[in-house]
Amino acid sequence: MAGYAMTAFDELLPRGTAIVEAELGACWETGLWPEEEPHIARAIDQRRREFTAGRNCARRALAVLRVAPAAIGVGPAGEPLFPPGVSGSITHTGQYCAAAAIASEDIASIGIDADTRRPLPGGAADVILRPEEQQTLTSAAPFAGKLVFCIKEAFYKAYFQRAARYLDFQDAHVTLMLSERRFEIRVVGEYAAAWSRERVFEGRYAMDDARIYAAVALMHRP
């Protein structure tokens, strides 16, 4: 179930997911609910625009699911608070924003992330990539380091909704299946058992000329 138009995430998430994208436009400028305003009152202009676009996209995604519109608050770790019964995720980079939502009776949680199709900035690889990832990804694909960053961000958003704990970049190892544009992500940190006995999860990614997109859907606890 896409939003009002085809999106980069349509083939990356389960059927029944509502996805809405925005590039520029009025939804970046107005539309916050009064309950959301305090969360952004002291933010710089760019952060306010991103926050506004994210909340507007999220409410449009809820409308696709036929869920009553609601304020999308901010949790103690900065996570967006979707209404009960819904798993949702928001991403923004540059002048692009997207939100995805699905009934949590169908899927335990989802996470999405998008980033510019550029190499990782200098020094970032040592923070984001595990040593074995750096060895295997050096020649795997253009922008492989940024792709793994995007994958980990998407996974951590989904994982946090179930475990109420963010993972460190070194707590997960990504294996790319380039020919199929999918990946496996193995939780290797000490918090692996916080939500599930499973340690290996799967997801899908996509690229276009401007951006990289990654998405993860976690099934209900076995």
Side-chain angles (χ1 to χ4, degrees):
M1 180 194 305
Y4 294 94
M6 294 294 291
T7 80
F9 288 101
D10 285 349
E11 302 300 320
L12 309 185
L13 288 163
R15 293 184 64 181
T17 307
I19 310 156
V20 175
E21 292 178 320
E23 294 190 59
L24 300 178
C27 78
W28 292 73
E29 309 298 336
T30 62
L32 287 183
W33 284 30
E35 302 95 317
E36 296 164 345
E37 287 281 357
H39 299 298
I40 209 70
R42 299 183 180 180
I44 62 173
D45 287 346
Q46 180 60 22
R47 172 59 184 149
R48 181 181 181 86
R49 294 181 72 253
E50 293 171 345
F51 186 91
T52 301
R55 266 53 193 178
N56 285 328
C57 285
R59 263 188 288 281
R60 288 177 61 192
L62 292 178
V64 174
L65 292 181
R66 298 186 179 181
V67 173
I72 310 295
V74 178
E79 74 278 13
L81 298 178
F82 281 76
V86 174
S87 171
S89 186
I90 298 171
T91 185
H92 41 70
T93 180
Q95 298 176 341
Y96 171 86
C97 179
I102 193 168
S104 51
E105 66 180 9
D106 299 328
I107 298 292
S109 62
I110 58 174
I112 64 172
D113 197 68
D115 210 328
T116 54
R117 189 170 171 169
R118 298 175 184 170
L120 286 172
D126 291 338
V127 176
I128 295 164
L129 305 179
R130 294 175 58 83
E132 62 269 32
E133 290 172 329
Q134 295 193 48
Q135 292 175 6
T136 59
L137 293 174
T138 301
S139 59
F143 315 109
K146 179 66 75 69
L147 172 57
V148 170
F149 168 75
C150 199
I151 287 168
K152 289 186 176 183
E153 286 285 299
F155 175 70
Y156 296 165
K157 292 175 185 180
Y159 191 90
F160 180 85
Q161 294 175 52
R162 313 315 303 166
R165 184 189 297 272
Y166 277 115
L167 299 177
D168 184 82
F169 284 115
Q170 298 297 312
D171 288 333
H173 173 258
V174 172
T175 301
L176 299 175
M177 286 75 165
L178 296 173
S179 63
E180 303 170 46
R181 292 213 166 183
R182 66 183 185 90
F183 57 85
E184 288 185 349
I185 185 162
R186 178 182 297 273
V187 178
V188 295
E190 61 180 298
Y191 307 124
W195 173 67
S196 173
R197 290 172 294 178
E198 293 183 79
R199 289 190 174 219
V200 180
F201 306 88
E202 295 185 350
R204 302 187 66 84
Y205 71 90
M207 293 187 186
D208 58 26
D209 291 340
R211 286 177 288 270
I212 296 167
Y213 312 87
V216 176
L218 299 185
M219 303 299 105
H220 284 284
R221 189 190 310 245

